[in-house]
Amino acid sequence: MTDGSIIASRGVKCAGPGSCAQVKGDIIAMGLLGSDHHVECIGYYSCWRVQGTIQAADDIICSATGSCVRVNPMKAGNQVVVSGAFGAAHSTITRAPGGVECNSHQSCYDAEIRVEGPIWLNSNLSGAYAILDGSDVECGGKRSCYWARIDAAEDLLITGQQAAANAQIIAYGNIEAYGWEALLNAFILIGEGMDTDVHLYGFYTGHSLTIFCDDGYGDVECNVYCHGITSCYATTIEYADSIDNVNISPSDCLENEGQLSDEGVWCPHLVERVADPAQVIADLMRIWGLDRAISQGNELVQFEEIFTPQSMLQIEAPAPENPTNLMATQ
């Protein structure tokens, strides 16, 4: 544990096991963007539970197991790159114009990421239970955006198996989903005043997905494309006032809802909502939040109970991948 802040006119490198953990202040690499002044947390559980801010003129790099856990907030002049297992879990990232990359098992788990750049979730459970608010969001790993709340200002790409299962998605642009059951039990809400295209390609990609095609603020175009035979199987499209703003491909799905189209593609179900759209959205979000809390409570890894500064310094090898086995290492 380090009293006070760590402030450098160049870069900061925390390389040993537990280095820069529980700093009672900030970790700051000052300088201009492009000066290669990074904060690098490269030792096991380095920069763990920093009590202030981690801030870098260029990149923040969390490349070791357990690095940058429970840091609120992190601010980078360029990118935040998390490649260590469990890295940046339960942390907050508020600035990264070059984007945020979560590349390892459960990296960015339960994180809050609100940045002006893109967000990439590239590994198993990276970004699960997280809040993901960026220009573009890509859920590429298995269950990488599981139970996440996703606000993508432009495009959302979902390619992993069950990548955005149970997710809540606020749609402001285009959505493309390819993975098996990629949107299982998820729901998509159309952003305020935004026309949205939802493209479903994969095997049972939209199984039990609900798309709410009314933002409660006025007419929006809701375009759903069922590209695969089972891509829209058991998908439900809910609308209010008029179905005229709902467009489905294949086009005969409006007449064959919940059945096979003339092209042999399963069509989504159509449900008219008579209640106030704004109230429906509020109810959906409240119920989703309660279900998410129950699920998270059953699965959440409590790092502050598992790891202590003493145990961190005794680590000689990476922690096992399965978080349920972590207690056995103590």
Side-chain angles (χ1 to χ4, degrees), residues 74-91:
M74 290 192 278
K75 302 177 182 180
N78 185 31
Q79 280 191 309
V80 176
V81 181
V82 185
S83 53
F86 314 113
H90 317 300
S91 294

Side-chain angles (χ1 to χ4, degrees), residues 34-57:
S35 59
D36 293 329
H37 292 183
H38 310 303
V39 173
E40 300 177 70
C41 302
I42 60 178
Y44 299 135
Y45 312 107
S46 56
C47 307
W48 176 77
R49 293 201 73 175
V50 172
Q51 296 180 24
T53 297
I54 295 181
Q55 186 170 336

Side-chain angles (χ1 to χ4, degrees), residues 206-230:
H207 194 287
S208 300
L209 164 69
T210 299
I211 304 171
F212 193 77
C213 286
D214 193 304
D215 62 357
Y217 299 95
D219 292 341
V220 294
E221 291 289 330
C222 185
N223 306 311
V224 180
Y225 299 87
C226 305
H227 294 282
I229 293 174
T230 61

Side-chain angles (χ1 to χ4, degrees), residues 9-248:
S9 58
R10 295 187 178 180
V12 176
K13 183 176 288 187
C14 303
S19 58
C20 305
Q22 293 185 301
V23 169
K24 289 186 174 180
D26 302 322
I27 300 177
I28 301 175
M30 298 188 298
L32 300 174
L33 180 63
S35 59
D36 293 329
H37 292 183
H38 310 303
V39 173
E40 300 177 70
C41 302
I42 60 178
Y44 299 135
Y45 312 107
S46 56
C47 307
W48 176 77
R49 293 201 73 175
V50 172
Q51 296 180 24
T53 297
I54 295 181
Q55 186 170 336
D58 277 290
D59 298 339
I60 297 174
I61 300 169
C62 308
S63 59
T65 297
S67 55
C68 307
V69 170
R70 291 199 182 279
V71 178
N72 300 292
M74 290 192 278
K75 302 177 182 180
N78 185 31
Q79 280 191 309
V80 176
V81 181
V82 185
S83 53
F86 314 113
H90 317 300
S91 294
T92 302
I93 302 172
T94 59
R95 185 167 183 259
V100 178
E101 294 185 33
C102 304
N103 296 325
S104 190
H105 176 73
Q106 273 188 270
S107 56
C108 304
Y109 181 93
D110 188 41
E112 182 174 345
I113 305 175
R114 299 182 185 272
V115 296
E116 58 273 45
I119 304 170
W120 298 280
L121 296 311
N122 296 323
S123 188
N124 181 37
L125 290 171
S126 59
Y129 296 101
I131 295 174
L132 306 170
D133 186 350
S135 60
D136 300 310
V137 177
E138 182 174 339
C139 305
K142 180 180 178 181
R143 290 194 168 189
S144 51
C145 298
Y146 178 67
W147 279 108
R149 172 168 176 165
I150 305 171
D151 291 7
E154 296 176 16
D155 295 317
L156 170 61
L157 177 62
I158 305 167
T159 59
Q161 177 181 333
Q162 294 185 346
N166 297 97
Q168 176 198 112
I169 299 167
I170 312 297
Y172 294 98
N174 296 322
I175 298 174
E176 294 189 11
Y178 293 85
W180 176 71
E181 291 188 341
L183 288 162
L184 178 69
N185 293 320
F187 72 87
I188 296 172
L189 303 175
I190 304 304
E192 181 178 345
M194 299 300 297
D195 294 343
T196 299
D197 293 341
V198 180
H199 293 267
L200 304 178
Y201 290 90
F203 192 60
Y204 292 106
T205 295
H207 194 287
S208 300
L209 164 69
T210 299
I211 304 171
F212 193 77
C213 286
D214 193 304
D215 62 357
Y217 299 95
D219 292 341
V220 294
E221 291 289 330
C222 185
N223 306 311
V224 180
Y225 299 87
C226 305
H227 294 282
I229 293 174
T230 61
S231 296
C232 291
Y233 180 81
T235 298
T236 299
I237 298 174
E238 298 190 5
Y239 63 94
D241 297 328
S242 173
I243 200 172
D244 292 342
N245 296 329
V246 178
N247 302 303
I248 307 174

